[in-house]
Amino acid sequence: MNDNLEYQPSGQVLIVGGYGIVGTALTRLAAPSWPLLLTGRNPQRGAQLADEYNLEVRKWDLDDPTPFTASVRAVISTVNDPGDRVLRAAVSAGIPYVDITRWTSRLTRAVAQTSLLSPTAPVLLSSAWMGGVVSIVAASLAEDLGGLQQIDVAIRYDTNDRAGADSVDFIDRLGQDFEITENGHPHVLSPLSDTRWIDIAGYRTKVARLDTPEQLTFPMTLGATSAATRIGFSSNASTTALLVAKTMGLFRWGSGERWRGLRRSLLYSPGTGGTAHIRIDVHGAHGSRTAHISDPAGQAHLTALGGLLGLQNVLDPKAQPGVGFPESTTSLTEALAELKRHGVTILNS
């Protein structure tokens, strides 16, 4: 690809996928702070949003080899970028970059790709759950505990929530074993295993293991000897359907494109709105701490808030060039205050 991005310190912030469900939420959050440029496959879908905020929308189809050109101050990707097209264009041009959409294997590849390009600007890979919000809250809990031992994340996925197709991409990973760190050692785990019942913000929820990027980064960035992320659903029927499908082997024999619709039908039924609930338990040498995160505006809004925090991070004049992760931010207190300012409840115990 011959995309030509140019760094312009006073230019627009480019939101790739800026009028999708998460992208729209991010656009509404970011528009008061920066001039924005939205891109996607079908710019006409973003016309009303562009008119509402008096901003620019252009076509950039990542599957179309036509080169894309723009001068911008930062880039944030809210869509899957399987060929690293957006990442390569931004990093090569020395433009601050944020990504909130990668699962673990693609995040690992992004780290390698970025390192090969020798970045001269901040590159924030913020694909942990909800755009890195989980990582920020976990890092705040881990402060002062000393000798961090275990971080457990439990997600209550509201099946009535509004969700874009990319938000359930993790369902295509449920046929693939993944590596986690347990007691300081690598361990291979099967998705939807190790089920348990957890109280998440007052809801008794059955949860099971899921491959997410924070399980890779927490041992490296926070020094956790073990990290676990589990997911459960507001609908017991959805939880049961996924566990039965796994037992029947659907995610292995039905892993190809032919069965994609069936796999996604088990979960992807976007509703009119719901509440995002997450529980984080952190255990260290000096005790344990728990946080319940709730966003009544839903998972898209919470993910977009993660993206907003990411943009604030990479555009901070003190931000350093190179790869970073959301839990490594030096502004945890400010980040938590920003979440609360936008209606997110974080209850610590």
Side-chain angles (χ1 to χ4, degrees), residues 10-192:
S10 60
Q12 300 159 310
V13 169
L14 168 57
I15 304 179
V16 182
Y19 50 83
I21 290 182
V22 171
T24 295
L26 176 58
T27 294
R28 295 187 187 282
L29 291 168
S33 300
W34 305 287
L36 304 180
L37 168 61
L38 313 184
T39 65
R41 289 191 180 96
N42 304 295
Q44 64 274 16
R45 289 180 50 200
Q48 182 176 342
L49 184 65
D51 289 343
E52 182 180 350
Y53 289 96
N54 191 30
L55 49 84
E56 184 179 4
V57 59
R58 291 172 51 193
K59 181 177 181 177
W60 191 7
D61 182 348
L62 301 183
D63 293 326
D64 183 343
T66 303
F68 180 79
T69 300
S71 297
V72 296
R73 73 174 72 189
V75 176
I76 180 167
S77 180
T78 70
V79 297
N80 285 323
D81 182 22
D84 295 328
R85 183 172 175 179
V86 180
L87 180 147
R88 286 186 285 114
V91 175
S92 297
I95 299 171
Y97 172 80
V98 182
D99 195 307
I100 60 173
T101 57
R102 292 175 183 268
W103 56 69
T104 311
S105 60
R106 287 187 177 171
L107 180 138
T108 304
R109 189 180 69 190
V111 172
Q113 177 72 83
T114 302
S115 298
L116 290 172
L117 293 171
S118 301
T120 58
V123 176
L124 183 65
L125 300 177
S126 196
S127 299
W129 198 260
M130 298 291 102
V133 168
V134 158
S135 299
I136 289 169
V137 176
S140 71
L141 293 176
E143 287 187 327
D144 303 323
L145 282 184
L148 195 60
Q149 297 162 352
Q150 174 83 31
I151 301 179
D152 288 291
V153 177
I155 301 152
R156 187 176 188 271
Y157 188 104
D158 193 333
T159 54
N160 293 319
D161 205 351
R162 296 179 68 245
D166 284 350
S167 69
V168 293
D169 256 0
F170 68 82
I171 203 169
D172 291 333
R173 311 289 300 165
L174 296 181
Q176 302 179 33
D177 293 347
F178 58 98
E179 187 175 282
I180 51 93
T181 299
E182 192 171 273
N183 297 321
H185 301 286
H187 179 67
V188 176
L189 200 66
S190 176
L192 299 180

Side-chain angles (χ1 to χ4, degrees), residues 225-276:
T225 56
S226 299
T229 297
R230 297 174 177 85
I231 192 168
F233 305 93
S234 58
S235 164
N236 288 329
S238 292
T239 303
T240 300
L242 281 177
L243 293 175
V244 168
K246 185 225 174 177
T247 301
M248 294 174 60
L250 170 64
F251 300 113
R252 294 190 186 273
W253 58 257
S255 61
E257 194 65 29
R258 176 183 177 186
W259 302 100
R260 181 172 180 158
L262 174 59
R263 294 194 308 274
R264 295 196 165 207
S265 69
L266 295 172
L267 185 59
Y268 181 52
S269 55
T272 56
T275 299

Side-chain angles (χ1 to χ4, degrees), residues 266-288:
L266 295 172
L267 185 59
Y268 181 52
S269 55
T272 56
T275 299
H277 292 297
I278 304 164
R279 172 174 174 156
I280 303 174
D281 292 282
V282 175
H283 309 279
H286 300 154
S288 300

Side-chain angles (χ1 to χ4, degrees), residues 137 140-141 280 289-293 336 340 346-349:
V137 176
S140 71
L141 293 176
I280 303 174
R289 297 179 67 190
T290 296
H292 292 271
I293 308 168
L336 295 176
K340 293 174 183 178
I346 303 174
L347 299 177
N348 294 342
S349 60

